């Protein structure tokens, strides 16, 4: 008997069914005692394995998304920020916006929760198995510029265009050079009507022309971005200062 158990454990190990392996003794006991049928036990065990594998997959997706911190919608205090319509955010949580390749712009002064909401929505997308990347705007531009310098722009653009959800954080904290604005346009254009992009910015859209320093490119970027967009303007106080008071 013990050799059968040993071989069974060995098989489960080789098949990487580690959840089943660890729960098996409990279920064997119940089946032997007649408290559960073999099929019921097998169903329970395989369900445990599936849940575990799904959760591990979600965690890998979250790691690859490179979020700078863990933020969730559950942890967001909507009463502190009444300019945000809770219902609108909860609708975004359904991720229907991604099926329609719609974008989200989160605009507001520092500390109002733009990055928090962007990460929280990104995590929801990871839960659903989407490929997500969170990247700071200037890091993104730097990478595109480096790729361009090495004659590898197409490859880089392809890569960033493929993410199901791209979160570009902190657009407009620094001015953007003319050639970078062009690169940014190419990326937005590549994702247009195909994949969703979330952008956080402390600048209203009307001042983006000062950020990109080129009215033609700014118009082209805005044209693509806002064609299908949910704009969340947050006008409240900084949550960072709240905790200091
Ligand atoms: P922003 O990106 O708009 O500058 P953040 O999203 O980084 O601001 O928010 C600053 C800090 O305050 C973060 O730690 C964030 O989790 C927290 N925070 C902001 N708004 C809220 C809120 N309404 N409820 C809970 N935490 C919040
Ligand atoms: Mg931020």
């Amino acid at each position: 008997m013990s050799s059968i158990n040993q071989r069974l454990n060995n098989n489960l190990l080789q098949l990487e069914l580690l959840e089943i392996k660890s729960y098996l003794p409990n279920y064997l006991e119940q089946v032997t005692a007649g408290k559960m049928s073999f099929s019921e036990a097998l169903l329970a065990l395989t369900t445990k394995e599936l849940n575990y594998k799904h959760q591990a997959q979600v965690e890998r997706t979250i790691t690859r998304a490179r979020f700078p911190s863990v933020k969730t919608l559950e942890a967001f205090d909507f009463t502190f920020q009444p300019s945000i319509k809770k219902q609108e955010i909860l609708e975004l949580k359904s991720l229907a916006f991604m099926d329609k390749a719609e974008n989200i712009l989160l605009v507001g002064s520092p500390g109002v929760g733009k990055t928090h909401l962007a990460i929280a929505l990104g995590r929801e997308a990871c839960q659903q198995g989407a490929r997500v990347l969170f990247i700071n705007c200037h890091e993104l531009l730097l990478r595109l510029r480096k790729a361009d310098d090495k004659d590898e722009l197409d490859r880089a653009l392809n890569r960033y265009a493929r993410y199901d959800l791209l979160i570009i954080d902190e657009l407009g904290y620094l001015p953007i050079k003319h050639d970078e604005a062009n690169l940014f346009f190419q990326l937005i254009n590549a994702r247009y009507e195909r994949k969703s992009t979330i952008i956080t910015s402390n600048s209203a859209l009307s001042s983006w022309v000062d950020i990109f320093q080129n009215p033609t490119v700014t118009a082209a970027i805005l044209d693509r971005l806002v064609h299908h967009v949910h704009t969340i303007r947050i006008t409240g106080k900084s949550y960072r200062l709240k905790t200091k008071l």
Side-chain angles (χ1 to χ4, degrees), residues 10 17 33 87 92 97 101 114 121 170 173 184 188 208 221 225 228 231 240:
N10 216 354
L17 299 172
Q87 195 48 41
L92 294 175
F97 77 93
K114 303 182 297 294
L121 290 170
E170 300 196 334
Y173 276 77
F184 191 77
I188 296 303
W208 281 23
I221 291 170
L225 268 183
H228 310 285
T231 307
R240 290 196 188 97

Side-chain angles (χ1 to χ4, degrees), residues 190-201:
R191 296 182 62 78
Y192 174 62
E193 290 197 327
R194 299 200 301 131
K195 303 282 187 184
S196 293
T197 307
I198 298 181
I199 296 184
T200 82
S201 178

Side-chain angles (χ1 to χ4, degrees), residues 69-82 84 106-119 169-170 173 200-202 234 237-243:
S69 54
V70 179
K71 302 288 176 190
T72 61
L73 288 178
E74 290 70 33
F76 195 81
D77 180 1
F78 285 92
T79 59
F80 181 78
Q81 215 56 266
I84 301 175
L106 291 153
V107 180
S109 45
V112 294
K114 303 182 297 294
T115 302
H116 185 133
L117 290 174
I119 294 173
D169 195 38
E170 300 196 334
Y173 276 77
T200 82
S201 178
N202 59 345
I234 316 176
K237 294 169 293 199
S238 166
Y239 195 87
R240 290 196 188 97
L241 297 180
K242 173 209 168 182
T243 50

Side-chain angles (χ1 to χ4, degrees), residues 64-221:
R64 277 193 222 111
R66 305 221 200 139
F67 298 116
S69 54
V70 179
K71 302 288 176 190
T72 61
L73 288 178
E74 290 70 33
F76 195 81
D77 180 1
F78 285 92
T79 59
F80 181 78
Q81 215 56 266
S83 65
I84 301 175
K85 295 190 203 89
K86 184 175 181 182
Q87 195 48 41
E88 189 177 2
I89 304 294
L90 294 185
E91 271 161 33
L92 294 175
K93 187 184 170 190
S94 77
L95 305 178
F97 77 93
M98 286 180 63
D99 296 332
K100 295 181 258 173
E102 293 168 348
N103 302 316
I104 301 178
L105 296 178
L106 291 153
V107 180
S109 45
V112 294
K114 303 182 297 294
T115 302
H116 185 133
L117 290 174
I119 294 173
L121 290 170
R123 286 177 66 93
E124 292 293 333
C126 290
Q127 297 280 351
Q128 304 302 320
R131 289 188 65 214
V132 180
L133 182 72
F134 180 105
I135 188 164
N136 176 275
C137 184
H138 285 276
E139 192 186 333
L140 173 66
L141 293 175
L142 190 72
R143 293 212 199 158
L144 288 178
R145 197 143 49 82
K146 278 191 177 160
D148 195 23
D149 290 345
K150 287 193 280 178
D151 251 343
E152 289 171 2
L153 181 62
D154 282 348
R155 230 172 73 192
L157 283 173
N158 269 332
R159 196 180 131 232
Y160 290 115
R162 267 205 314 270
Y163 286 101
D164 298 314
L165 178 63
L166 183 67
I167 302 174
I168 305 173
D169 195 38
E170 300 196 334
L171 185 144
Y173 276 77
L174 299 166
I176 293 169
K177 295 189 198 82
H178 184 91
D179 57 330
E180 292 173 344
N182 267 321
L183 297 173
F184 191 77
F185 166 73
Q186 290 186 58
L187 174 60
I188 296 303
N189 194 40
R191 296 182 62 78
Y192 174 62
E193 290 197 327
R194 299 200 301 131
K195 303 282 187 184
S196 293
T197 307
I198 298 181
I199 296 184
T200 82
S201 178
N202 59 345
S203 303
L205 300 192
S206 55
S207 37
W208 281 23
V209 66
D210 302 325
I211 300 169
F212 291 107
Q213 305 178 70
N214 177 325
T216 316
V217 176
T218 310
I221 291 170

